[in-house]
Amino acid sequence: MGIKFGREYKDIVTDFVRGIEMVNGFYELLEMNAEDWQELDASEKEECLRTLADDIFYGLGSSPVMQVGAGSVKHDAGNHVLKVHDGEKLVSVIYLV
């Protein structure tokens, strides 16, 4: 099915990366623990986060909710946004149009 969007994909991913970073334990999807994540340099972290954002975005095309660490990402198709939660707390809204 896929996610429909009207913004530049690279801009969506940039915003999405910043949202994902706010979720406790997001690096667990990369099969890392906190210590592994801290050992990466800034460019490695950015590359991993962009890859993770791409993968989650793709996954949301077939499932409207994905677990990420201690939180989740939800595709709200009606409002054309992605909502990033850390636990129950909404930490980021990414506009798709």
Side-chain angles (χ1 to χ4, degrees):
M1 177 165 75
I3 294 178
K4 295 182 181 183
F5 57 94
R7 290 177 62 204
E8 289 287 328
Y9 182 73
K10 66 179 179 66
D11 295 336
I12 292 170
V13 169
T14 297
D15 292 347
F16 200 18
V17 161
R18 299 304 157 237
I20 292 168
E21 279 183 306
M22 292 189 259
V23 177
N24 188 29
F26 68 86
Y27 41 77
E28 292 171 1
L29 278 178
L30 299 166
E31 298 183 0
M32 292 183 174
N33 59 36
E35 186 177 301
D36 295 334
W37 180 253
Q38 292 306 318
E39 290 178 2
L40 299 177
D41 66 33
S43 65
E44 291 171 321
K45 287 179 179 177
E46 184 71 20
E47 185 178 328
C48 286
L49 280 163
R50 287 194 172 278
T51 299
L52 186 57
D54 283 333
D55 290 349
I56 295 169
F57 191 88
Y58 179 79
L60 289 169
S62 57
S63 175
V65 179
M66 292 188 68
Q67 294 305 133
V68 178
S72 63
V73 177
K74 299 176 183 177
H75 175 221
D76 181 344
N79 291 310
H80 309 289
V81 296
L82 301 177
K83 295 178 180 178
V84 181
H85 292 82
D86 184 19
E88 295 297 317
K89 180 181 174 187
L90 178 66
V91 295
S92 184
V93 176
I94 296 89
Y95 295 92
L96 300 173
V97 293

